[in-house]
Amino acid sequence: MKRIIGFLSILFVVLIGYYLQPVLFPPTPRKAPVEQTNQVTRHKALKHQTIKTEGYAQYIAQSIDTFEQKFGKATKVEESGFFFQTRDYALDQGTLEVNVEGGKVSAIKVMAKKADIKPFKFGMTSSQLSDKINLSADFALTYDEEPVAIELSENDMRFRPLIAFDNDTFAMLFFNGDNEKLIGAVYLDLENLLRLMPYQINSGNPLANRVQESNLDWNVLNQQKQSRTIEAINRYRELYKLSDLATPDKSMNDSKKLLKSFLTTPKRVLDNDRLEEWQTDQGAHLSNLSFELTAAEFKDLARHDKIEYENGLFYSPMVDPLFNLFNWISQDHLNEIFDVPEAELGVAIDQESVLVLLQEPEKTKDSDE
């Protein structure tokens, strides 16, 4: 019995010692080596690619006199209402327009089938362009000492890629949203890029379109831009062997009626969220906050005013008709409007807003009766 008690006593002491040792004599902690690193996380846009300056890019920011020494005098000069002039120049089987601000070239727009627009080529596909030039999706720019980061979407890269030249100018190329062939090129400086651009800005601020309020008759300007839009549409159609769209008084009047109806009471066709979007865009005057009516909204607008139509669009802002046409044709849901086999066309413009209306030709109506 004494042996058993002795054994249990010794076992008890051993167990207490075993469990109390870590408490009474804690092990010295080992310091794990800390890996030193000088890496700093930076969120910075990749430097965009630039290409050699050639062709029309050489004339951006140059005096208009220098441009006209090469291309001759303008065939037509019109005010835009947005602090620049639009000048037209002769071009075989195509359109050449130049925007002029303060006597200097700020943008050059070309639409043709065979015009020299080195290093690009009309009719080339977007895939052919990407095989030839390393396209950038991100642009880290500086305007007025402020950084600006622009990002192109996948659709932008396919249909509206942006090219930077090594003289700090740019080219926007517009590909048909259906067949992906190059239909228009716009060369411009950084300021106009930030005003006209259809791209997303991730940091920095786009520039608002500056509307001239004084010393201009907007009725005259609206009429001139309507004519310029119609001419641009029909020139585009001629290049691709489509007949001109007639502009009878009825179609023109119907388009004006629809435009006035929407601008007067937009809440008739817009729900609360869309109305707020429209009002925000109107106040901002930003091209990258463009607003267009959906097919259903356009249908409601026409139904309310009892106007029959085949197709159409309402779009804002309309600052530069030829630029807007390029942008529309590069959109797969809008280019079909301008590629119809036959229709009667109405165009109405009120400063920054445009409504394009396509109606069934009268002769077709007569034959159906």
Side-chain angles (χ1 to χ4, degrees):
M1 185 69 180
K2 290 181 179 179
R3 289 182 178 181
I4 295 174
I5 294 172
F7 174 78
L8 292 174
S9 299
I10 294 171
L11 178 62
F12 181 74
V13 171
V14 170
L15 290 174
I16 290 176
Y18 178 82
Y19 285 105
L20 286 180
Q21 183 183 7
V23 178
L24 297 174
F25 306 98
T28 302
R30 291 187 303 168
K31 292 184 179 179
V34 177
E35 185 177 339
Q36 298 294 323
T37 177
N38 294 322
Q39 291 181 346
V40 178
T41 302
R42 301 179 188 276
H43 297 285
K44 184 177 180 181
L46 296 174
K47 180 63 178 176
H48 55 270
Q49 298 286 322
T50 61
I51 64 172
K52 177 184 175 183
T53 301
E54 57 182 317
Y56 289 110
Q58 302 172 82
Y59 297 95
I60 299 299
Q62 299 297 313
S63 73
I64 188 60
D65 293 335
T66 300
F67 181 86
E68 292 189 342
Q69 287 174 6
K70 172 71 174 178
F71 297 95
K73 293 296 182 181
T75 58
K76 181 166 63 175
V77 179
E78 292 179 348
E79 297 295 331
S80 68
F82 297 93
F83 290 94
F84 65 87
Q85 282 184 340
T86 301
R87 300 192 180 196
D88 294 11
Y89 294 86
L91 183 68
D92 290 340
Q93 296 182 330
T95 299
L96 175 60
E97 287 185 4
V98 176
N99 292 357
V100 181
E101 298 181 48
K104 292 187 176 181
V105 175
S106 58
I108 300 173
K109 296 154 286 180
V110 194
M111 178 173 62
K113 262 202 162 182
K114 296 183 180 179
D116 184 3
I117 54 168
K118 293 178 183 177
F120 320 116
K121 186 177 181 180
F122 282 115
M124 71 188 308
T125 64
S126 55
S127 60
Q128 288 173 334
L129 174 69
S130 61
D131 288 341
K132 184 175 182 180
I133 297 174
N134 291 324
L135 300 177
S136 299
D138 297 291
F139 288 77
L141 309 170
T142 301
Y143 178 78
D144 197 19
E145 300 184 355
E146 293 292 330
V148 179
I150 296 175
E151 180 181 352
L152 276 65
S153 68
E154 184 178 340
N155 271 345
D156 291 332
M157 294 291 285
R158 285 181 63 192
F159 301 110
R160 294 165 294 280
L162 180 64
I163 312 294
F165 296 98
D166 58 13
N167 68 341
D168 296 325
T169 65
F170 302 86
M172 286 189 213
L173 302 181
F174 293 90
F175 293 80
N176 186 294
D178 182 32
N179 59 31
E180 298 192 25
K181 290 186 177 181
L182 181 62
I183 54 96
V186 180
Y187 302 80
L188 68 179
D189 58 19
L190 175 58
E191 181 174 336
N192 278 273
L193 169 63
L194 296 178
R195 292 194 195 284
L196 292 174
M197 56 167 251
Y199 313 118
Q200 176 178 324
I201 290 186
N202 286 338
S203 66
N205 297 307
L207 299 180
N209 297 309
R210 301 165 300 164
V211 183
Q212 289 176 257
E213 300 291 351
S214 60
N215 302 322
L216 290 175
D217 186 337
W218 274 97
N219 289 326
V220 172
L221 294 183
N222 291 337
Q223 181 62 49
Q224 288 177 345
K225 290 172 77 175
Q226 285 167 201
S227 298
R228 187 174 285 278
T229 302
I230 293 167
E231 289 172 6
I233 291 171
N234 281 330
R235 285 176 187 168
Y236 163 75
R237 290 176 60 82
E238 289 168 5
L239 289 174
Y240 298 94
K241 298 181 180 179
L242 294 169
S243 61
D244 286 0
L245 298 177
T247 55
D249 290 342
K250 182 181 182 306
S251 294
M252 293 296 291
N253 290 334
D254 284 349
S255 64
K256 291 175 183 177
K257 183 178 179 180
L258 289 177
L259 179 60
K260 183 178 180 180
S261 176
F262 174 74
L263 294 179
T264 303
T265 52
K267 62 182 180 181
R268 274 205 298 239
V269 296
L270 301 178
D271 62 27
N272 290 337
D273 289 342
R274 288 281 287 161
L275 182 61
E276 183 179 351
E277 180 185 348
W278 161 247
Q279 291 169 341
T280 299
D281 292 356
Q282 280 294 99
H285 299 285
L286 297 175
S287 290
N288 71 318
L289 292 181
S290 60
F291 184 93
E292 62 183 271
L293 290 181
T294 66
E297 290 166 346
F298 197 95
K299 184 177 181 179
D300 286 344
L301 177 65
R303 182 168 53 213
H304 181 274
D305 289 283
K306 299 178 181 178
I307 290 177
E308 295 181 356
Y309 73 101
E310 289 192 330
N311 212 330
L313 67 86
F314 168 87
Y315 192 94
S316 179
M318 157 68 90
V319 175
D320 186 318
L322 186 55
F323 178 88
N324 279 93
L325 178 63
F326 289 163
N327 193 24
W328 295 335
I329 293 172
S330 72
Q331 310 279 347
D332 58 4
H333 69 289
L334 292 178
N335 60 44
E336 63 183 18
I337 295 175
F338 307 99
D339 291 338
V340 295
E342 189 178 24
E344 290 181 346
L345 173 67
V347 175
I349 293 176
D350 187 329
Q351 290 198 8
E352 292 180 277
S353 299
V354 58
L355 190 141
V356 177
L357 185 69
L358 292 182
Q359 295 179 314
E360 186 180 1
E362 283 295 329
K363 62 180 182 180
T364 304
K365 293 179 184 177
D366 293 340
S367 63
D368 290 342
E369 292 177 356

